[in-house]
Amino acid sequence: MITKTTDLGDINHSLDVVASITGGAATECYGVVGMASQKIMKDGFYDLLGRENYSKGIVVEDGDTGIILNVYIIVGYGVKISEVVYEVQKKVKYVLETTLDVDIEAVNVFVQSIRVID
């Protein structure tokens, strides 16, 4: 639970809300095929997560100066992975700071798999 105090009272954001917004922002980036689970691997392949399961592919932690996000993604074949990861970090940080008005300490992106895009 992330709590923000204003002069009118407290605002509480559940971690599922943060994960849902993070997953939506990450999947909008060019080169990202989808979100992957950080734990479940079947036969050497990671399953794509649907919009309702983004919380399984994102870990939210409290840091010293803000929240720390661990984002697990699947990228498309033929894209420059370092550029895709940088864009995911930049977009997730911007969207969360403007939408929820929270401080982001770090956005760690883990590429779980590469898929060929049809």
Side-chain angles (χ1 to χ4, degrees), residues 2 6 22 25-26 28 45 84 87 96 100 114 117:
I2 298 172
T6 65
T22 301
E28 289 177 359
F45 297 102
V84 172
E87 287 300 316
L96 283 177
L100 300 179
I114 298 174
I117 302 172

mmCIF file of all heavy atoms in Angstrom, residues 2 6 22 25-26 28 45 84 87 96 100 114 117:
data_model
loop_
_atom_site.group_PDB
_atom_site.id
_atom_site.type_symbol
_atom_site.label_atom_id
_atom_site.label_comp_id
_atom_site.label_asym_id
_atom_site.label_seq_id
_atom_site.Cartn_x
_atom_site.Cartn_y
_atom_site.Cartn_z
ATOM 1 N N ILE A 2 0.639 2.141 -0.923
ATOM 2 C CA ILE A 2 1.380 3.388 -1.009
ATOM 3 C C ILE A 2 0.457 4.494 -0.511
ATOM 4 O O ILE A 2 -0.651 4.667 -1.008
ATOM 5 C CB ILE A 2 1.826 3.669 -2.450
ATOM 6 C CG1 ILE A 2 2.763 2.557 -2.916
ATOM 7 C CG2 ILE A 2 2.483 5.024 -2.555
ATOM 8 C CD1 ILE A 2 3.108 2.614 -4.363
ATOM 9 N N THR A 6 -2.138 14.462 2.035
ATOM 10 C CA THR A 6 -2.415 15.819 1.566
ATOM 11 C C THR A 6 -3.057 16.602 2.706
ATOM 12 O O THR A 6 -3.335 16.042 3.769
ATOM 13 C CB THR A 6 -3.361 15.803 0.350
ATOM 14 O OG1 THR A 6 -4.630 15.300 0.749
ATOM 15 C CG2 THR A 6 -2.800 14.957 -0.779
ATOM 16 N N THR A 22 1.755 0.340 -14.405
ATOM 17 C CA THR A 22 3.099 0.049 -14.897
ATOM 18 C C THR A 22 3.056 -0.878 -16.100
ATOM 19 O O THR A 22 3.738 -0.652 -17.096
ATOM 20 C CB THR A 22 3.949 -0.580 -13.779
ATOM 21 O OG1 THR A 22 4.008 0.318 -12.679
ATOM 22 C CG2 THR A 22 5.354 -0.889 -14.261
ATOM 23 N N ALA A 25 1.775 0.948 -19.221
ATOM 24 C CA ALA A 25 2.788 1.851 -19.781
ATOM 25 C C ALA A 25 3.892 1.065 -20.476
ATOM 26 O O ALA A 25 4.366 1.459 -21.548
ATOM 27 C CB ALA A 25 3.367 2.726 -18.684
ATOM 28 N N ALA A 26 4.307 -0.050 -19.890
ATOM 29 C CA ALA A 26 5.403 -0.838 -20.468
ATOM 30 C C ALA A 26 4.996 -1.481 -21.795
ATOM 31 O O ALA A 26 5.779 -1.502 -22.742
ATOM 32 C CB ALA A 26 5.859 -1.905 -19.490
ATOM 33 N N GLU A 28 2.961 -0.428 -23.972
ATOM 34 C CA GLU A 28 2.779 0.558 -25.040
ATOM 35 C C GLU A 28 4.081 0.896 -25.742
ATOM 36 O O GLU A 28 4.067 1.496 -26.813
ATOM 37 C CB GLU A 28 2.165 1.834 -24.479
ATOM 38 C CG GLU A 28 0.719 1.700 -24.080
ATOM 39 C CD GLU A 28 0.165 2.980 -23.465
ATOM 40 O OE1 GLU A 28 0.937 3.961 -23.336
ATOM 41 O OE2 GLU A 28 -1.012 2.983 -23.108
ATOM 42 N N PHE A 45 9.963 -21.658 -21.788
ATOM 43 C CA PHE A 45 9.316 -20.473 -22.348
ATOM 44 C C PHE A 45 8.492 -19.772 -21.289
ATOM 45 O O PHE A 45 7.859 -20.414 -20.460
ATOM 46 C CB PHE A 45 8.405 -20.857 -23.530
ATOM 47 C CG PHE A 45 9.151 -21.448 -24.680
ATOM 48 C CD1 PHE A 45 9.142 -22.807 -24.899
ATOM 49 C CD2 PHE A 45 9.883 -20.640 -25.540
ATOM 50 C CE1 PHE A 45 9.837 -23.364 -25.955
ATOM 51 C CE2 PHE A 45 10.581 -21.183 -26.591
ATOM 52 C CZ PHE A 45 10.563 -22.546 -26.813
ATOM 53 N N VAL A 84 14.966 -0.540 -26.058
ATOM 54 C CA VAL A 84 13.627 -0.888 -25.583
ATOM 55 C C VAL A 84 13.568 -0.782 -24.063
ATOM 56 O O VAL A 84 12.634 -0.207 -23.504
ATOM 57 C CB VAL A 84 13.225 -2.311 -26.045
ATOM 58 C CG1 VAL A 84 11.915 -2.755 -25.403
ATOM 59 C CG2 VAL A 84 13.100 -2.364 -27.555
ATOM 60 N N GLU A 87 13.535 2.881 -22.969
ATOM 61 C CA GLU A 87 12.232 3.508 -23.207
ATOM 62 C C GLU A 87 11.195 3.040 -22.190
ATOM 63 O O GLU A 87 10.361 3.832 -21.746
ATOM 64 C CB GLU A 87 11.742 3.214 -24.630
ATOM 65 C CG GLU A 87 12.491 3.977 -25.690
ATOM 66 C CD GLU A 87 12.391 5.484 -25.524
ATOM 67 O OE1 GLU A 87 11.290 6.003 -25.246
ATOM 68 O OE2 GLU A 87 13.432 6.151 -25.657
ATOM 69 N N LEU A 96 3.920 6.947 -13.974
ATOM 70 C CA LEU A 96 3.609 6.807 -12.556
ATOM 71 C C LEU A 96 3.761 8.130 -11.804
ATOM 72 O O LEU A 96 2.947 8.431 -10.928
ATOM 73 C CB LEU A 96 4.476 5.737 -11.912
ATOM 74 C CG LEU A 96 4.058 4.304 -12.194
ATOM 75 C CD1 LEU A 96 5.038 3.334 -11.574
ATOM 76 C CD2 LEU A 96 2.660 4.038 -11.680
ATOM 77 N N LEU A 100 0.053 9.066 -10.467
ATOM 78 C CA LEU A 100 -0.150 8.814 -9.044
ATOM 79 C C LEU A 100 0.578 9.801 -8.134
ATOM 80 O O LEU A 100 0.378 9.775 -6.922
ATOM 81 C CB LEU A 100 0.297 7.393 -8.692
ATOM 82 C CG LEU A 100 -0.429 6.261 -9.405
ATOM 83 C CD1 LEU A 100 0.147 4.924 -8.967
ATOM 84 C CD2 LEU A 100 -1.913 6.318 -9.138
ATOM 85 N N ILE A 114 12.599 -13.537 -25.812
ATOM 86 C CA ILE A 114 12.505 -12.832 -27.094
ATOM 87 C C ILE A 114 11.551 -13.634 -27.961
ATOM 88 O O ILE A 114 11.663 -14.858 -28.062
ATOM 89 C CB ILE A 114 13.885 -12.706 -27.770
ATOM 90 C CG1 ILE A 114 14.823 -11.885 -26.899
ATOM 91 C CG2 ILE A 114 13.749 -12.101 -29.156
ATOM 92 C CD1 ILE A 114 16.235 -11.826 -27.400
ATOM 93 N N ILE A 117 7.920 -11.669 -33.938
ATOM 94 C CA ILE A 117 6.639 -11.011 -34.180
ATOM 95 C C ILE A 117 6.179 -11.368 -35.582
ATOM 96 O O ILE A 117 6.918 -11.194 -36.549
ATOM 97 C CB ILE A 117 6.780 -9.481 -34.023
ATOM 98 C CG1 ILE A 117 7.296 -9.156 -32.617
ATOM 99 C CG2 ILE A 117 5.446 -8.792 -34.282
ATOM 100 C CD1 ILE A 117 7.642 -7.693 -32.442
#
